[in-house]
Amino acid sequence: MILSERIAAIVQYSKFSIPKFAEYVGFKTPQTVRELLKGNTRSLSDAVQYKITSAYPEINKLWLLTGEG
Protein backbone atom coordinates (compact mmCIF):
# COMPACT_ATOMS: atom_id res chain seq x y z
CA MET A 1 0.00 0.00 0.00
CA ILE A 2 1.47 3.33 -1.04
CA LEU A 3 1.43 6.45 1.13
CA SER A 4 -1.58 8.04 -0.60
CA GLU A 5 -3.60 4.85 0.01
CA ARG A 6 -2.63 4.80 3.69
CA ILE A 7 -3.66 8.43 4.08
CA ALA A 8 -6.96 7.68 2.30
CA ALA A 9 -7.53 4.77 4.69
CA ILE A 10 -6.94 7.04 7.69
CA VAL A 11 -9.30 9.72 6.35
CA GLN A 12 -11.93 7.05 5.72
CA TYR A 13 -11.35 5.62 9.21
CA SER A 14 -11.86 9.07 10.70
CA LYS A 15 -15.27 9.41 9.02
CA PHE A 16 -14.49 13.12 8.55
CA SER A 17 -14.50 15.14 5.37
CA ILE A 18 -11.04 16.17 4.18
CA PRO A 19 -11.36 19.71 5.62
CA LYS A 20 -12.66 18.38 8.95
CA PHE A 21 -9.91 15.74 9.08
CA ALA A 22 -7.26 18.39 8.38
CA GLU A 23 -8.65 20.56 11.16
CA TYR A 24 -8.86 17.64 13.61
CA VAL A 25 -5.28 16.56 12.94
CA GLY A 26 -4.00 20.13 13.14
CA PHE A 27 -3.07 21.05 9.58
CA LYS A 28 -3.42 24.72 8.70
CA THR A 29 -5.32 23.93 5.49
CA PRO A 30 -6.91 20.86 3.88
CA GLN A 31 -4.46 21.24 0.99
CA THR A 32 -1.88 19.19 2.91
CA VAL A 33 -4.27 16.24 2.99
CA ARG A 34 -5.26 16.70 -0.65
CA GLU A 35 -1.60 16.68 -1.72
CA LEU A 36 -1.01 13.48 0.26
CA LEU A 37 -4.09 11.87 -1.30
CA LYS A 38 -3.02 12.83 -4.82
CA GLY A 39 0.33 11.13 -4.29
CA ASN A 40 2.21 14.40 -4.79
CA THR A 41 3.95 13.86 -1.47
CA ARG A 42 6.15 10.76 -1.33
CA SER A 43 7.15 10.94 2.34
CA LEU A 44 5.88 12.42 5.57
CA SER A 45 7.72 15.08 7.52
CA ASP A 46 8.23 14.50 11.22
CA ALA A 47 5.62 17.19 11.94
CA VAL A 48 2.96 15.50 9.78
CA GLN A 49 3.74 12.09 11.28
CA TYR A 50 3.43 13.55 14.76
CA LYS A 51 0.12 15.27 14.05
CA ILE A 52 -1.47 12.13 12.61
CA THR A 53 -0.20 9.76 15.30
CA SER A 54 -1.10 12.23 18.06
CA ALA A 55 -4.65 12.57 16.75
CA TYR A 56 -4.91 8.80 16.19
CA PRO A 57 -2.60 7.02 18.67
CA GLU A 58 -4.05 3.67 17.60
CA ILE A 59 -2.39 4.05 14.19
CA ASN A 60 0.89 2.18 14.01
CA LYS A 61 3.69 4.61 13.11
CA LEU A 62 5.60 1.93 11.17
CA TRP A 63 2.49 1.24 9.09
CA LEU A 64 1.99 4.96 8.50
CA LEU A 65 5.57 5.35 7.27
CA THR A 66 6.12 2.10 5.38
CA GLY A 67 2.84 0.22 5.01
CA GLU A 68 4.13 -2.59 7.18
CA GLY A 69 3.22 -3.38 10.74
Side-chain angles (χ1 to χ4, degrees), residues 3-51:
L3 178 59
S4 60
E5 292 170 334
R6 294 191 302 275
I7 298 300
I10 295 168
V11 172
Q12 184 177 14
Y13 169 79
S14 75
K15 298 186 173 139
F16 289 140
S17 64
I18 291 171
K20 198 67 168 164
F21 174 80
E23 180 183 332
Y24 181 78
V25 170
F27 297 138
K28 289 184 180 180
T29 69
Q31 191 61 31
T32 302
V33 179
R34 290 189 181 105
E35 292 297 317
L36 288 166
L37 291 170
K38 286 181 195 174
N40 294 342
T41 305
R42 302 271 181 213
S43 63
L44 297 176
S45 69
D46 290 340
V48 170
Q49 293 171 38
Y50 177 77
K51 287 180 180 190

